[in-house]
Amino acid sequence: MLLRLRTFGGLWIESPQAEVTTGPRPRSLALLAICAAAGAKGVSRERALGVLWPNSHPERARHALSQTLYYVRREVGADVIVSSPDLRLDPRLITSDVDDFLAAIRVKNWADAAALYTGTFLDGFYLSDAPEFERWVDNERSSLAADATRAFESAAKTSLEARRHDEAIDALRRLTRIDPANSRFAAKYMEALADAGDRAGAVAHGKAHLELLQREFELDPDAELEQLLGRLRESPPSTPRQRDTVDREPSEMSEAQPVPIATEAAAPSVSRENVATVAAPPPIRRAGRFRARRGLIVVATAAVALAAIAAVVRAPMRAAARPVLAVGWFQDRGDPDSVATGRVSGDMLATSLARSSDLRVVATSRMLELAPGNADTSRAGLTAAARRAGATEIIEGEFVSLPNRRLELDVRRVDLARGLVHSGYRVAGSDRVALLDSVTTLIATDLGVRAPRGSVIQVSTRSALAFRLYEEGLRSLFQANAPAAGRLFRAALREDSTFALAAYYAWRAASAASDPSEDRLAGQAMALAQSAPPADRLLIVTHVGYGRSDVRALASAETLATRYPQDPEALIRAAEVLPELSRAVRLLNESIALDSLAGAGDGAICRLCDAFTILSYRYAWADSDAAFRRTIDRWRALRPNDAQPWAILSDWLVAFGRRAAADTALRRFVALGGTGGTHLDTLIRDLRLDEFEQLDAACAKGLTNADVEQFKQYRWYCTIGLRMEGRFREAWQLQTDGRIPRSSVVRRLDESDPYNRAILDFETGRANAAAREFLALGRRLRDEVTYGAKNPRHGPWLLTLAATAFVEAGDTTSARQLVDSIEVAGSLSLFPRDGLLHHFVRGLLYSRAHQADAAVREFRQALSSPTFGYTRINYELGETLLGLHRAREAIPVVQAALHGAIEGSGLYITRTELHELLARLFEAAGQQDSASAHYAIVARAWASADSSLAARRQAAERRSRRAGL
């Protein structure tokens, strides 16, 4: 299987089956691009290290390169990079467009070189933490653009000499896009257009070029080009060259290429003199109607008009100046159910336009979400939704029946601010889908962007029933009826099994309803995403990839946030994935602002609430109390009747031990419609508040009376509580025999919990056994499928737990052997903790080797979150800093560990041990009152502890009495 690395217009790997992947990691793709640009001679290792890891220690950089090479081999499935002596791509396994382009340049094969240069080198690809790589890209990009300029200019010259005017015009047009400010190129393009009979297009391009020079560069008009423009204006119109498609009668046209009959209005930049050759229809007096006198329209003159418009819009146009499009009211007068089929056609047009990544199109789901009452699909309702979504133009249209089973599609772009028609388009044929494809091409050309390839049918659904079911599913989802939405989306998939968005929203509905089909639907959505429009594909890959902890979601999240800055859903999904707090906060605040401006979030589904929830959690992960409180205050001020912020606030107050304030917030949550907590919820709060008497009573009651499923939950949390109290023997009996503490009741289950068994072995001096158990558990979970794929989080996590146990047992050799595997496995996971875990194991090894300063550096690098990361990292860092007499520095690190959860990565060390360490730190820092308070908690916790903890309990009691606690 020969792979192809594409570097022009982006960066991705393409297989012979046209299955495209954006690559597992941006840095791996970057290494492939460096090798590709170096060609057959390859690039030296030193050069690659200097570009990708310029600021790293040489040994660390070489290790990173080795890991990246391993990762590329693992992901691609072959040794596509030959790594000795220099780095180069293996041409037997993978080729690249940039290597072929440079080879064509070397032999002066200008036509092939021009065909290969399909866009800017590595367009839209970057590494945020590698400035040297960015400089390398800039240099390569400039050099390749210069080569492309030579290729296009030479190819155009050859084509003109051979009288292949179409090829010459295409080459010169692309030349003007590479260097839009070059007046010599603009003049050549104008002359070629004029020679081909398109004088109006040549004039239009000249005018657009002069305007560009003045607007963008503040340059005076080029004198020679002005003279050429004057001559073209004064010369009589020439006869256009006749194309095959114009010579034929409409009835002979291919159904896949409907005949463009006319455009009613030129783009704003086209003056009336530029379209004077067209038999123009009467002025449009009402935006609501679009009619012309068909007797005045002829195909040949329409072709001239289209050529003129196309020539104008080929001039460079800034993306910021392009409108935000929404598709509104559509009718199908050729179908009895005109409203229903019209909605399908409107959605297909929106989907078709969205295939172009250069166009900003409001998604159908966003339109339905913002339509008044979430169900209003009238013209007024859709127009209101478009305005709320931030659209600047709305597209409306209708199908009209013609004789001989033919159809005419009339479409208009309406300025939402002024209600004026910008442009109109009319095409005819017998295939609705082909007509929508043609209108897509006309609109894209009118707006100065490349029309999407292929047909909308490849990325949407031809089934009107599938779309109606999908639309109703969206409405149910927006009304918080996830089970009903799931049924509708699955019904849509039964009608059309290739409908990507139906699969994606079916997965979302299944996730919300805890439906067991969630994994299968996630895999189906990911498989179909490759054929979806860019925005939908990026959304699916980012969101489902986040659920999978798939590191490949990073690249799609970056692109999603960059390409769709006005889409609040895109910003939220990208913020979930991107690791940098500042970037995530900015994206979430932008999403909140967009939804606030749109008045969104008033229905049952509140995307704005999702953004606030994620934002508050990101601040909680950073242990930023002040920022967390500000976020909750903003949320409550903006939506005072929401219950959710009070629940989140209550949970956060519990983390700081403020039970009275937490209970007040919880009562407010219930008063606003929230569901009151269960007995198990109360037990969890007792755990986090170190309320041991209440905890013991709740466990005794819950373990005795709960049904089987509830008993498993109580057993999990009550085991944590027994460990906190140092009652390891009772915890072991509960796990293995089902014996309820301090009673004669035994409730046996078929299986015990493997995690708690391993943890109890670790905490009771059987660390070697714990290490073996963690490794065995890792092997068992290695092939577990989550969301249709293996979950990469299991590998690094369980290897780290095993390495921790090996170090505790004194077997540093076994731990050291796991470090590289932890680093490689961590690089495959999106979860922020996993890629840093190898630093923790290195820190443990340094600590046991009495290299405390090196251990501190590694422990700090291992901290993904001070509150919700692996809390044993906080503990080991605190212990090491205490040994270095840096207690004050350690106190906030260990305090933060108490602010997180008692599950997840906070499960593997008890709160009591953290309190004990904090007491010692405060004592060393001379803060005796704080030390005594924490010693008192330890003494209460271990009041009934196993004898192995007696000495530590007695010491805590003595020290707590120093302040009378």
mmCIF file of all heavy atoms in Angstrom, residues 877-887 890 917 920-921 924:
data_model
loop_
_atom_site.group_PDB
_atom_site.id
_atom_site.type_symbol
_atom_site.label_atom_id
_atom_site.label_comp_id
_atom_site.label_asym_id
_atom_site.label_seq_id
_atom_site.Cartn_x
_atom_site.Cartn_y
_atom_site.Cartn_z
ATOM 1 N N LEU A 877 5.790 15.285 45.767
ATOM 2 C CA LEU A 877 6.435 16.588 45.630
ATOM 3 C C LEU A 877 6.514 17.280 46.992
ATOM 4 O O LEU A 877 7.546 17.869 47.346
ATOM 5 C CB LEU A 877 5.660 17.446 44.627
ATOM 6 C CG LEU A 877 6.173 18.879 44.412
ATOM 7 C CD1 LEU A 877 7.638 18.903 43.987
ATOM 8 C CD2 LEU A 877 5.317 19.591 43.364
ATOM 9 N N GLY A 878 5.422 17.217 47.763
ATOM 10 C CA GLY A 878 5.428 17.819 49.089
ATOM 11 C C GLY A 878 6.457 17.188 49.999
ATOM 12 O O GLY A 878 7.184 17.894 50.728
ATOM 13 N N GLU A 879 6.544 15.857 49.995
ATOM 14 C CA GLU A 879 7.530 15.156 50.810
ATOM 15 C C GLU A 879 8.951 15.573 50.433
ATOM 16 O O GLU A 879 9.807 15.805 51.296
ATOM 17 C CB GLU A 879 7.378 13.641 50.640
ATOM 18 C CG GLU A 879 6.254 13.013 51.432
ATOM 19 C CD GLU A 879 6.673 12.710 52.869
ATOM 20 O OE1 GLU A 879 7.695 13.249 53.325
ATOM 21 O OE2 GLU A 879 5.960 11.942 53.533
ATOM 22 N N THR A 880 9.224 15.651 49.136
ATOM 23 C CA THR A 880 10.565 15.989 48.668
ATOM 24 C C THR A 880 10.917 17.424 49.044
ATOM 25 O O THR A 880 12.045 17.707 49.481
ATOM 26 C CB THR A 880 10.675 15.782 47.156
ATOM 27 O OG1 THR A 880 10.211 14.465 46.817
ATOM 28 C CG2 THR A 880 12.105 15.926 46.683
ATOM 29 N N LEU A 881 9.978 18.351 48.873
ATOM 30 C CA LEU A 881 10.236 19.748 49.247
ATOM 31 C C LEU A 881 10.430 19.879 50.758
ATOM 32 O O LEU A 881 11.241 20.698 51.220
ATOM 33 C CB LEU A 881 9.074 20.632 48.775
ATOM 34 C CG LEU A 881 8.987 20.854 47.261
ATOM 35 C CD1 LEU A 881 7.667 21.550 46.897
ATOM 36 C CD2 LEU A 881 10.169 21.695 46.772
ATOM 37 N N LEU A 882 9.700 19.094 51.521
ATOM 38 C CA LEU A 882 9.895 19.119 52.971
ATOM 39 C C LEU A 882 11.307 18.681 53.326
ATOM 40 O O LEU A 882 11.961 19.285 54.200
ATOM 41 C CB LEU A 882 8.871 18.199 53.644
ATOM 42 C CG LEU A 882 8.938 18.088 55.175
ATOM 43 C CD1 LEU A 882 8.711 19.450 55.822
ATOM 44 C CD2 LEU A 882 7.919 17.074 55.685
ATOM 45 N N GLY A 883 11.817 17.650 52.654
ATOM 46 C CA GLY A 883 13.180 17.210 52.892
ATOM 47 C C GLY A 883 14.214 18.246 52.499
ATOM 48 O O GLY A 883 15.333 18.261 53.034
ATOM 49 N N LEU A 884 13.857 19.140 51.561
ATOM 50 C CA LEU A 884 14.755 20.218 51.137
ATOM 51 C C LEU A 884 14.546 21.497 51.958
ATOM 52 O O LEU A 884 15.089 22.559 51.601
ATOM 53 C CB LEU A 884 14.521 20.527 49.650
ATOM 54 C CG LEU A 884 14.966 19.447 48.657
ATOM 55 C CD1 LEU A 884 14.452 19.771 47.258
ATOM 56 C CD2 LEU A 884 16.492 19.314 48.646
ATOM 57 N N HIS A 885 13.742 21.391 53.026
ATOM 58 C CA HIS A 885 13.441 22.531 53.904
ATOM 59 C C HIS A 885 12.746 23.660 53.138
ATOM 60 O O HIS A 885 12.998 24.840 53.376
ATOM 61 C CB HIS A 885 14.729 23.054 54.579
ATOM 62 C CG HIS A 885 15.514 21.975 55.276
ATOM 63 N ND1 HIS A 885 15.068 21.334 56.413
ATOM 64 C CD2 HIS A 885 16.720 21.394 54.959
ATOM 65 C CE1 HIS A 885 15.948 20.420 56.780
ATOM 66 N NE2 HIS A 885 16.966 20.437 55.912
ATOM 67 N N ARG A 886 11.837 23.277 52.236
ATOM 68 C CA ARG A 886 11.081 24.251 51.444
ATOM 69 C C ARG A 886 9.589 24.017 51.689
ATOM 70 O O ARG A 886 8.800 23.870 50.781
ATOM 71 C CB ARG A 886 11.428 24.116 49.961
ATOM 72 C CG ARG A 886 12.873 24.510 49.654
ATOM 73 C CD ARG A 886 13.406 23.870 48.368
ATOM 74 N NE ARG A 886 12.688 24.244 47.179
ATOM 75 C CZ ARG A 886 12.987 23.795 45.946
ATOM 76 N NH1 ARG A 886 14.015 22.965 45.791
ATOM 77 N NH2 ARG A 886 12.279 24.170 44.910
ATOM 78 N N ALA A 887 9.229 24.005 52.980
ATOM 79 C CA ALA A 887 7.872 23.649 53.374
ATOM 80 C C ALA A 887 6.840 24.637 52.853
ATOM 81 O O ALA A 887 5.765 24.253 52.399
ATOM 82 C CB ALA A 887 7.786 23.541 54.897
ATOM 83 N N ALA A 890 5.750 23.957 49.485
ATOM 84 C CA ALA A 890 4.986 22.724 49.293
ATOM 85 C C ALA A 890 3.538 22.836 49.736
ATOM 86 O O ALA A 890 2.677 22.091 49.256
ATOM 87 C CB ALA A 890 5.671 21.583 50.054
ATOM 88 N N LEU A 917 0.590 14.997 55.988
ATOM 89 C CA LEU A 917 1.712 15.697 55.364
ATOM 90 C C LEU A 917 1.552 17.207 55.502
ATOM 91 O O LEU A 917 2.529 17.929 55.793
ATOM 92 C CB LEU A 917 1.825 15.299 53.891
ATOM 93 C CG LEU A 917 2.920 16.021 53.087
ATOM 94 C CD1 LEU A 917 4.288 15.853 53.727
ATOM 95 C CD2 LEU A 917 2.929 15.523 51.642
ATOM 96 N N ARG A 920 2.628 18.312 58.925
ATOM 97 C CA ARG A 920 4.089 18.369 59.044
ATOM 98 C C ARG A 920 4.652 19.591 58.326
ATOM 99 O O ARG A 920 5.613 20.225 58.800
ATOM 100 C CB ARG A 920 4.690 17.094 58.471
ATOM 101 C CG ARG A 920 4.354 15.837 59.281
ATOM 102 C CD ARG A 920 4.639 14.564 58.490
ATOM 103 N NE ARG A 920 6.019 14.512 58.035
ATOM 104 C CZ ARG A 920 6.422 13.841 56.953
ATOM 105 N NH1 ARG A 920 5.529 13.179 56.205
ATOM 106 N NH2 ARG A 920 7.690 13.842 56.608
ATOM 107 N N LEU A 921 4.074 19.934 57.167
ATOM 108 C CA LEU A 921 4.552 21.104 56.420
ATOM 109 C C LEU A 921 4.276 22.392 57.186
ATOM 110 O O LEU A 921 5.141 23.276 57.280
ATOM 111 C CB LEU A 921 3.877 21.144 55.043
ATOM 112 C CG LEU A 921 4.315 20.058 54.037
ATOM 113 C CD1 LEU A 921 3.382 20.027 52.839
ATOM 114 C CD2 LEU A 921 5.751 20.313 53.580
ATOM 115 N N ALA A 924 6.686 22.628 60.031
ATOM 116 C CA ALA A 924 8.017 23.043 59.591
ATOM 117 C C ALA A 924 8.058 24.509 59.200
ATOM 118 O O ALA A 924 9.096 25.175 59.313
ATOM 119 C CB ALA A 924 8.463 22.176 58.413
#
